[in-house]
Amino acid sequence: MNYKELLEAGEHVYRENTRFKHFKNPVTSERYFSNYLSYKLMPSLSELRADLAYLANEQAGYVSKYAFLFFAEKQELSAEVADDLKNHGFAFSRHLIFTSSVEDLQLREGQLGDIGILELDASYLDAYLAYKYQDHLQYGQVYADQILADNKANLFSNGSNIFLALDGERIIGDLTVWYLGDYVEIDDFSVQKAYRGRGIGTALQRAALAGQQKVMLIAEEENRAMYQHQGYKEVSWYWTALQSDSR
């Protein structure tokens, strides 16, 4: 199974050829994860340079100047491609793909006290939008405004479900899930720093995965131990490279 393709299955492809898929969303042009090239095959140096020129032309009107590349699953970059990207200021990240059957996960129910877990509905929409907007401001005003507008227009029709952790009426954590065939993907998962270590993240996962059979998520290396402790198993990986003038 190509897990990377499965993760991208629900996204709209702007352009595709034999070597890559191009995902482009000018409405959220500041969001890197909505605007990138995803390689099916690893590029040669000449192909890479042509692809970056193509991407620069496609994103010429964007506020931020950046290029984001997802490389082929379980493939290492050639030395000349890696060196060329480094010389042009790209930063690399290895994205790890974890899966598990839900029944095999070690998500023990904890004592949350006054913390409540619920699925987002219209009654908490305004509070959720404000909560995410404040978080998104760290990436700039334009980014925050774009995501807010997109959320207002599409949040209840984009195929995702969102779960909230509440301290009284205040949102202190959230988790988004997407349904991908036999799998549910965990995405956009966070708990405020002051509340971590209390089982709130586990409770969010338990609520989101209720009634599901298989789960998948993408993690960085620094979170490997946490997810393996919960019962997730690494099944694949791929490299990304980001060049940006703003962050």
Side-chain angles (χ1 to χ4, degrees):
M1 175 187 294
N2 188 312
Y3 290 98
K4 180 166 161 280
E5 285 187 359
L6 179 60
L7 288 164
E8 295 172 346
E11 299 183 46
H12 174 70
V13 179
Y14 170 73
R15 185 167 293 151
E16 182 174 4
N17 60 31
T18 57
R19 297 190 301 107
F20 64 71
K21 295 178 183 178
H22 181 195
F23 296 95
K24 179 181 178 181
N25 186 345
V27 175
T28 54
S29 62
E30 288 291 288
R31 185 175 188 268
Y32 302 154
F33 283 89
S34 295
N35 299 274
Y36 62 94
L37 290 187
S38 179
Y39 284 102
K40 306 174 189 178
L41 304 172
M42 298 300 279
S44 67
L45 182 57
S46 61
E47 288 171 337
L48 173 73
R49 290 175 174 174
D51 296 341
L52 290 174
Y54 158 76
L55 202 57
N57 182 66
E58 286 288 333
Q59 297 178 180
Y62 285 13
V63 175
S64 295
K65 303 304 178 186
Y66 64 90
F68 200 20
L69 308 173
F70 287 21
F71 290 97
E73 187 172 338
K74 289 186 176 180
Q75 297 291 315
E76 295 289 353
L77 281 70
S78 69
E80 64 176 0
V81 165
D83 287 344
D84 196 64
L85 289 169
K86 289 176 185 176
N87 290 337
H88 286 88
F90 279 82
F92 298 91
S93 179
R94 186 180 173 99
H95 286 214
L96 309 177
I97 302 175
F98 290 87
T99 68
S100 177
S101 65
V102 173
E103 66 179 5
D104 288 340
L105 291 178
Q106 303 299 312
L107 300 176
R108 295 173 182 163
E109 188 171 2
Q111 300 298 317
L112 299 183
D114 294 332
I115 303 300
I117 306 293
L118 57 79
E119 186 171 353
L120 176 68
D121 60 19
S123 65
Y124 273 92
L125 177 59
D126 288 344
Y128 175 76
L129 293 176
Y131 173 76
K132 298 303 286 186
Y133 185 79
Q134 288 302 311
D135 180 55
H136 292 151
L137 281 173
Q138 65 182 300
Y139 305 121
Q141 184 83 47
V142 176
Y143 177 94
D145 288 345
Q146 286 184 352
I147 301 302
L148 177 61
D150 186 62
N151 281 339
K152 285 181 175 179
N154 301 308
L155 195 62
F156 288 130
S157 61
N158 64 10
S160 68
N161 284 36
I162 297 167
F163 294 82
L164 306 177
L166 302 168
D167 186 354
E169 295 294 309
R170 187 163 67 92
I171 300 171
I172 53 89
D174 66 307
L175 180 153
T176 301
V177 291
W178 301 84
Y179 301 100
L180 307 172
D182 293 336
Y183 286 88
V184 57
E185 180 200 357
I186 289 177
D187 189 22
D188 199 15
F189 182 16
S190 67
V191 175
Q192 289 185 2
K193 188 173 181 179
Y195 289 85
R196 293 173 189 168
R198 296 169 53 178
I200 296 169
T202 297
L204 281 167
Q205 290 183 73
R206 285 174 58 88
L209 299 177
Q212 303 301 316
Q213 300 297 314
K214 298 178 182 179
V215 59
M216 176 185 301
L217 58 83
I218 299 174
E220 304 296 332
E221 185 65 43
E222 64 188 28
N223 293 319
R224 176 196 292 273
M226 176 182 71
Y227 287 120
Q228 287 180 332
H229 179 72
Q230 292 179 341
Y232 290 94
K233 294 180 174 60
E234 182 186 344
V235 292
S236 195
W237 53 270
Y238 59 93
W239 285 104
T240 69
L242 174 65
Q243 178 196 59
S244 173
D245 67 351
S246 62
R247 57 183 185 273

